[in-house]
């Protein structure tokens, strides 16, 4: 049981680091191919970067816990994964898909006074 928990923790850590790499790559590609970075991307860039670093931190923690941790319990790992999903991955998904939601677009425009320009169009 402990070996399985270690493998699960290491796998979760590696998966998190891979996802963080993909998120940082997407963040570095803002403005590709024409160089235009939308006002929405400018407004959310710092938030995305902070969230990506949180993914890296929890991925490294999970990896180290799986490699050298002495006491791994299934409840602790499930709780960690659940918290990460709720507090990091869900907000990143909301920020990425916000321009496609009418209510989110209206809230953004009301708070900033700017038109939602997510770069879609011709």
């Amino acid at each position: 049981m402990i070996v399985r928990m270690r493998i699960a923790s290491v796998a979760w850590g590696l998966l998190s680091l891979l996802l963080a790499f993909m998120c940082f790559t997407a963040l570095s590609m803002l403005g590709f191919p024409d160089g235009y970075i939308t006002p929405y991307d400018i407004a959310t860039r710092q938030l995305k970067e902070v969230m990506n670093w949180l993914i890296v931190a929890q991925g490294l923690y999970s990896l180290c816990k799986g490699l050298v941790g002495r006491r791994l319990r299934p409840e602790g790992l499930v709780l960690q994964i659940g918290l990460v999903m709720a507090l990091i991955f869900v907000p990143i998904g909301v920020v990425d898909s916000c321009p496609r939601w009418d209510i989110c677009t209206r809230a953004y425009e009301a708070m900033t006074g700017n038109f939602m320009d997510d770069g879609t169009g011709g």
Side-chain angles (χ1 to χ4, degrees):
M1 177 76 148
I2 291 178
V3 173
R4 287 184 195 164
M5 291 309 302
R6 287 185 186 278
I7 291 171
S9 184
V10 168
W12 175 248
L14 292 174
L15 182 66
S16 295
L17 292 175
L18 176 66
L19 183 64
F21 173 75
M22 291 170 40
C23 289
F24 275 120
T25 301
L27 196 59
S28 72
M29 297 293 285
L30 287 179
F32 181 80
D34 60 358
Y36 177 67
I37 299 177
T38 67
Y40 181 74
D41 287 335
I42 291 170
T44 59
R45 176 188 281 171
Q46 188 174 17
L47 173 65
K48 288 180 183 179
E49 190 169 341
V50 167
M51 294 300 234
N52 291 345
W53 281 112
L54 288 174
I55 293 172
V56 169
Q58 78 82 30
L60 289 174
Y61 171 77
S62 182
L63 188 63
C64 291
K65 184 81 169 171
L67 293 175
V68 297
R70 294 177 191 214
R71 297 174 61 189
L72 290 173
R73 295 192 329 240
E75 308 86 39
L77 184 60
V78 169
L79 180 64
Q80 177 186 349
I81 291 172
L83 285 173
V84 168
M85 295 293 258
L87 299 176
I88 297 175
F89 293 144
V90 170
I92 287 176
V94 169
V95 168
D96 285 342
S97 61
C98 179
R100 294 186 295 268
W101 299 345
D102 187 46
I103 191 165
C104 191
T105 300
R106 283 186 279 151
Y108 173 80
E109 291 172 355
M111 288 189 313
T112 64
N114 295 330
F115 176 70
M116 173 66 83
D117 178 12
D118 64 343
T120 306

